[in-house]
């Protein structure tokens, strides 16, 4: 049932400042760190990204290259570190789930996949020292138990930089840290911090009459190099990680257009076992908010609210 019970314990410990027992690698779990439970499916990841991720022509090839290259290299010099940035509802969490689904038999529910949400697990500034200690212990313990572990940090733009600083040694080019190798682990950071710059890039292309497909990674890198990580103190750690070459791939997610939202609705209907209905899909997409206000080009919430809205438009 996933290691959620462990996460809840971590959450309680971190927010209350209590003591947590040291990780015990001798505890027997049903899932094992072997080929039966961990096996990368490159074709599966490629198929999922191409059939389920919409409007992200910049992000898709980067993710495929990053994960395929890392998982096919038995002698990686460092763990894989991905930093996914962009507006809400554009697919950052979705992609994280796809990666997990194609590496672990239990996908995101695997006991080898660990999800941290900054506002839930690290909410109190005055408990930073406790968070740092517990986070180091949690990561070290789980990587000791299984080198092919995945750690997903959501809402890192809301995380105090001191917390994430505590794991920087685990992301670097070290053979071992305190006797533990982290070279097979995967770290994924999810952030909305740079969404304004990414939105502006997409808007600029649209205003110039350029097709969305013409946007390239270099267009984002140029803009973000001058605007990212400077508006919020919480972004300083990201800048530090990039400057020290700890982040392997910076992956921007573009705001979604109306056609992409329609695709999301159709895909969601199929996932729910329903016959995809274009009329219903257009109704759902039409009722969402878009920007600019009058031109209604980009979805404000992306595909995030599709699931909760869909049942209002379906006639059983």
């Amino acid at each position: 049932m996933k290691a959620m019970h462990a996460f809840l314990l971590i959450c309680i410990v971190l927010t209350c400042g209590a003591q947590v027992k040291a990780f015990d690698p001798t505890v027997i779990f049903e899932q094992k760190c072997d080929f039966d439970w961990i096996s990368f499916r490159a074709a599966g990841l490629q198929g999922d990204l191409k059939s389920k991720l919409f409007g992200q022509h910049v992000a898709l090839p980067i993710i495929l290259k990053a994960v395929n290259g890392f998982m096919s290299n038995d002698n990686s010099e460092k763990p894989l570190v991905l930093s996914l940035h962009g507006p809400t509802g554009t697919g950052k969490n979705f992609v994280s789930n796809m990666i997990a689904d194609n590496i672990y038999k239990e996908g995101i529910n695997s006991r080898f996949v660990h999800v941290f949400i900054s506002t839930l697990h690290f909410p109190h500034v005055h408990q930073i020292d406790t968070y740092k200690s517990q986070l180091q212990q949690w990561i070290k313990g789980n990587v000791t138990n299984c080198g092919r572990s995945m750690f997903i940090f959501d809402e890192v733009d809301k995380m105090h930089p001191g917390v994430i600083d505590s794991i920087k040694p685990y992301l670097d080019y070290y053979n071992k840290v305190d006797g533990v190798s982290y070279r097979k682990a995967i770290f994924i950071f999810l952030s909305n911090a740079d969404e304004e710059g990414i939105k502006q890039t997409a808007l600029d292309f649209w205003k110039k009459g350029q097709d969305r497909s013409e946007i390239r990674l270099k267009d984002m890198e140029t803009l973000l190099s001058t605007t990212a990580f400077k508006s919020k103190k919480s972004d300083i750690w990201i800048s530090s990680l990039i400057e020290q070459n700890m982040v392997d791939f910076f992956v921007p997610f573009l705001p979604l257009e109306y056609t992409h939202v329609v695709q999301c609705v159709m895909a969601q209907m199929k996932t729910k076992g329903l016959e995809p209905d274009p009329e219903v899909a257009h109704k759902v997409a039409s009722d969402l908010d878009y920007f600019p206000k009058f031109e209604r080009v980009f979805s404000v919430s992306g595909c995030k609210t599709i699931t909760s809205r869909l049942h209002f438009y379906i006639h059983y």
Side-chain angles (χ1 to χ4, degrees):
M1 70 178 275
K2 189 181 181 177
M4 184 54 69
H5 63 286
F7 289 136
L8 291 175
L9 174 61
I10 286 277
C11 181
I12 292 173
V13 169
L14 294 184
T15 55
C16 297
Q19 294 296 315
V20 64
K21 294 181 179 179
F23 181 89
D24 184 3
T26 65
V27 176
I28 303 299
F29 293 89
E30 180 182 354
Q31 299 179 41
K32 299 183 183 300
C33 185
D34 58 28
F35 186 80
D36 290 335
W37 294 94
I38 305 175
S39 177
F40 179 52
R41 297 172 292 280
L45 178 60
Q46 180 175 356
D48 284 348
L49 287 171
K50 291 188 174 181
S51 64
K52 300 176 183 178
L53 182 65
F54 307 114
Q56 302 302 344
H57 70 279
V58 177
L60 192 153
I62 300 174
I63 294 163
L64 274 178
K65 175 182 177 182
V67 180
N68 285 343
F70 180 73
M71 294 301 295
S72 62
N73 183 7
D74 291 331
N75 297 303
S76 175
E77 296 182 350
K78 67 184 293 296
L80 176 63
V81 183
L82 301 177
S83 187
L84 314 187
H85 298 246
T88 184
T90 52
K92 299 184 298 295
N93 276 290
F94 197 33
V95 163
S96 300
N97 285 6
M98 288 184 194
I99 294 173
D101 286 342
N102 287 286
I103 295 178
Y104 304 93
K105 183 178 180 180
E106 297 298 313
I108 198 69
N109 294 313
S110 170
R111 80 175 186 90
F112 307 114
V113 178
H114 314 279
V115 181
F116 297 93
I117 304 172
S118 63
T119 53
L120 174 64
H121 295 99
F122 316 108
H124 305 300
V125 175
H126 65 278
Q127 292 193 15
I128 289 177
D129 289 340
T130 300
Y131 297 154
K132 290 167 64 175
S133 175
Q134 297 293 348
L135 184 57
Q136 288 178 325
Q137 179 183 357
W138 182 253
I139 293 177
K140 181 179 180 179
N142 280 281
V143 173
T144 299
N145 184 57
C146 184
R148 188 66 82 187
S149 293
M150 178 184 290
F151 302 91
I152 301 172
F153 292 84
D154 199 0
E155 300 183 344
V156 292
D157 48 307
K158 300 179 178 65
M159 185 183 297
H160 192 283
V163 177
I164 211 70
D165 279 344
S166 66
I167 69 168
K168 285 169 66 175
Y170 307 150
L171 311 180
D172 214 335
Y173 290 83
Y174 295 122
N175 183 30
K176 290 185 178 181
V177 178
D178 292 334
V180 179
S181 174
Y182 295 85
R183 292 184 170 188
K184 290 184 179 297
I186 298 176
F187 293 82
I188 302 178
F189 301 115
L190 312 180
S191 172
N192 295 333
D194 311 318
E195 66 174 301
E196 292 307 318
I198 293 173
K199 285 180 179 178
Q200 190 60 52
T201 298
L203 273 172
D204 289 344
F205 269 74
W206 172 74
K207 289 177 180 178
K208 294 175 183 178
Q210 294 177 276
D211 190 88
R212 175 195 186 88
S213 63
E214 296 180 47
I215 299 176
R216 296 289 181 264
L217 178 61
K218 63 182 179 62
D219 298 309
M220 299 292 178
E221 289 179 325
T222 299
L223 179 110
L224 294 175
S225 65
T226 57
T227 63
F229 319 127
K230 295 182 180 179
S231 60
K232 299 180 181 179
K233 280 187 177 181
S234 57
D235 297 332
I236 295 174
W237 71 268
I238 306 178
S239 179
S240 174
L241 294 184
I242 291 176
E243 290 173 358
Q244 297 178 37
N245 298 313
M246 293 184 187
V247 175
D248 299 295
F249 294 90
F250 172 86
V251 189
F253 282 68
L254 299 171
L256 301 181
E257 297 180 2
Y258 179 88
T259 55
H260 304 128
V261 177
V262 170
Q263 289 177 303
C264 286
V265 180
M266 296 284 280
Q268 187 61 33
M269 294 179 75
K270 186 176 182 180
T271 298
K272 289 180 173 292
L274 302 169
E275 184 68 26
D277 187 334
E279 183 177 351
V280 171
H282 281 284
K283 285 183 179 179
V284 175
S286 296
D287 284 349
L288 297 181
D289 292 327
Y290 293 82
F291 69 93
K293 183 176 181 180
F294 298 107
E295 292 86 352
R296 290 173 57 85
V297 180
F298 302 106
S299 172
V300 172
S301 58
C303 289
K304 189 171 186 178
T305 61
I306 294 301
T307 302
S308 60
R309 287 173 175 264
L310 186 56
H311 71 277
F312 287 108
Y313 301 84
I314 300 175
H315 301 286
Y316 293 94

